[in-house]
Amino acid sequence: MLHVRMIKAKNPEEVGKIAADQFEALIHSKPACVIGLATGSTPLPLYRELIERERAGKIDFTRVRSANLDEYKGLAPDHPQSYRRFMQENLFDHISIRPENTIVPDGLAEDVDAMCRGYEEKIENWGGVDLQLLGIGHDGHIGFNEPEDHFPVMTHEVALTEMTREANKRFFDSIDEVPTAAFTMGIGTVMAAKKIVMVVTGKDKADILYKSFFGPVTPEVPASILQMHPDVTVIFDEAACSWE
Ligand code: GLP
């Protein structure tokens, strides 16, 4: 039984606007909500839209709390390619969210288990994620949950596949600089969110979008688990459904 709501938009900008509507509605109904955020190029139009809407007085982030999906292992928060830095530059520095209300896994954690446990506890203490934003990797990864023989439950360390390192090398000077590991919320952490919004754009994502929502639920396509979540909205552009 497919509970997934699929919304087709014209282009990445429209995907961003429709996704922003979901955030705006949540923040209006619950000003101190908890949002789960994602990195990658797909959420950028959404982040630009959220910044504009706060400037226009339509949203207020002062009480919002946010938890990011993942971080590269070994990168300091101010490293140019760290996901903490990405979030600062593309969203947090431009909205009224309080720094202490934003969490991203600590890429430099020495005690990995303690850091991962602490991350889960923090989200739990906040009352859980109300709205989790997701992008999708070409192999179906969500956060950095790569294809495996099982669905990892909690926040954990993961080795990055060559496909993911290849895809992400565009942000680094060379492939050798792309970290080989990361910390990511687990599939269980993601599935615990009350509502999930996935954004997907571009022709190169058409195949994996189709497999994720019209194929079998399998840990070999991590995003396919979303078929089991009761409240998922996938917003994609025309290019990303070029199987039609
Ligand atoms: C990274 C992130 C994912 C993201 C994916 C796709 O691997 N860890 O959270 O969804 O990239 O990124 P893009 O939107 O740039 O295609």
Side-chain angles (χ1 to χ4, degrees):
M1 177 67 180
L2 193 67
H3 304 281
V4 180
R5 206 172 301 121
M6 310 279 282
I7 302 179
K8 183 168 155 184
K10 269 207 264 331
N11 50 40
E13 283 63 42
E14 200 179 272
V15 169
K17 289 199 168 93
I18 298 169
D21 292 343
Q22 308 271 334
F23 282 86
E24 189 177 323
L26 171 69
I27 296 167
H28 283 167
S29 65
K30 190 174 177 186
C33 60
V34 179
I35 55 179
L37 296 177
T39 52
S41 45
T42 318
L44 288 175
L46 161 66
Y47 292 159
R48 284 196 290 269
E49 186 68 23
L50 291 176
I51 293 165
E52 272 176 36
R53 288 191 193 189
E54 186 169 66
R55 284 190 184 142
K58 293 184 189 150
I59 327 187
D60 178 6
F61 281 95
T62 45
R63 295 175 62 200
V64 173
R65 290 158 299 172
S66 76
N68 260 77
L69 280 169
D70 47 11
E71 179 59 283
Y72 286 116
K73 181 177 184 178
L75 298 196
D78 60 352
H79 185 284
Q81 302 311 335
S82 79
Y83 283 170
R84 162 55 79 179
R85 174 101 172 244
F86 176 97
M87 290 310 300
Q88 292 301 137
E89 287 177 355
N90 292 295
L91 185 66
F92 299 154
D93 287 349
H94 312 285
I95 59 174
S96 65
I97 198 162
R98 299 205 166 99
E100 66 274 23
N101 284 346
T102 67
I103 56 170
V104 179
D106 177 6
L108 297 182
E110 278 173 20
D111 186 340
V112 171
D113 288 346
M115 187 278 287
C116 292
R117 252 196 329 274
Y119 204 70
E120 294 281 336
E121 278 165 17
K122 182 86 186 175
I123 294 171
E124 222 178 283
N125 291 341
W126 278 352
V129 173
D130 293 296
L131 172 54
Q132 176 67 56
L133 174 69
L134 296 175
I136 188 169
H138 294 102
D139 56 4
H141 71 241
I142 48 181
F144 267 134
N145 290 281
E146 299 276 26
E148 280 195 66
D149 58 5
H150 66 288
F151 290 110
V153 181
M154 313 288 260
T155 300
H156 62 290
E157 178 174 339
V158 68
L160 299 180
T161 63
E162 280 319 299
M163 189 193 230
T164 297
R165 294 185 67 238
E166 260 312 308
N168 289 1
K169 80 168 184 213
R170 60 203 152 115
F171 302 110
F172 294 82
D173 290 337
S174 77
I175 182 96
D176 300 330
E177 287 178 30
V178 184
T180 54
F183 301 122
T184 181
M185 280 185 191
I187 293 289
T189 330
V190 170
M191 289 294 279
K194 291 168 196 112
K195 190 178 173 65
I196 294 178
V197 168
M198 173 177 267
V199 286
V200 189
T201 57
K203 202 172 169 359
D204 56 317
K205 295 283 175 71
D207 184 44
I208 196 62
L209 176 60
Y210 187 85
K211 278 196 189 125
S212 300
F213 294 98
F214 300 105
V217 175
T218 162
E220 281 160 27
V221 182
S224 65
I225 190 80
L226 299 173
Q227 293 181 39
M228 314 293 282
H229 191 283
D231 189 350
V232 178
T233 304
V234 186
I235 310 164
F236 52 95
D237 68 352
E238 282 172 4
C241 60
S242 42
W243 70 76
E244 275 190 337

